[in-house]
Amino acid sequence: MQGLRPILIGFALAVVLTVLPFGLVATRLLPRDMTLWLVGVAAVTQIMVHLRFFLGIRLGSGDRERNGALIFAFVLLFIMVGGTLWVMGNLNYRMM
C-alpha cells in the first residue's frame, strides 16, 4: 500500500469521521443517547481508519505477533477507558 491515493482516502475518511460527530453535537439534531452512540461508533471507526491507512496495519493472519500486540493494546485500552468510566459513574452516583 504505497502512494498518495491511500493517504488521501484515509485523510478524507478521518475528516468526515471528525466533522460528522462534531456537527451532530453542535446542532443537537438527534437525542442525546443516540448522539453519544454515534460519536462512539465514529471514534472506533476512526481508530480503524488510522490503523489501516496511516499505520498500514491490517487485521489478517499475516503477522501473528503484531496482531497479538495490537489485541493486547486494545484490551488494555478497554480496561483503562472502561475502568475510568465505571469509577466516574460511581463517583457521580455517590455525590448526587
Side-chain angles (χ1 to χ4, degrees):
M1 191 166 113
Q2 293 179 350
L4 188 60
R5 187 169 187 257
I7 294 173
L8 291 177
I9 291 171
F11 177 73
L13 287 172
V15 167
V16 168
L17 290 169
T18 301
V19 170
L20 184 67
F22 181 79
L24 287 174
V25 171
T27 59
R28 298 182 185 167
L29 290 174
L30 299 174
R32 184 176 182 264
D33 292 339
M34 187 179 289
T35 301
L36 287 174
W37 277 104
L38 287 174
V39 168
V41 168
V44 171
T45 306
Q46 192 166 96
I47 289 170
M48 300 308 278
V49 165
H50 282 267
L51 288 174
R52 170 71 169 89
F53 289 100
F54 299 129
L55 297 176
I57 297 174
R58 296 181 184 175
L59 293 176
S61 61
D63 191 5
R64 295 186 77 185
E65 289 181 8
R66 180 185 291 176
N67 289 341
L70 190 61
I71 290 170
F72 181 68
F74 278 131
V75 168
L76 287 179
L77 185 63
F78 177 76
I79 290 171
M80 288 189 294
V81 171
T84 300
L85 291 175
W86 181 21
V87 168
M88 292 299 169
N90 195 357
L91 286 173
N92 184 40
Y93 174 74
R94 292 178 184 271
M95 295 296 288
M96 294 293 165

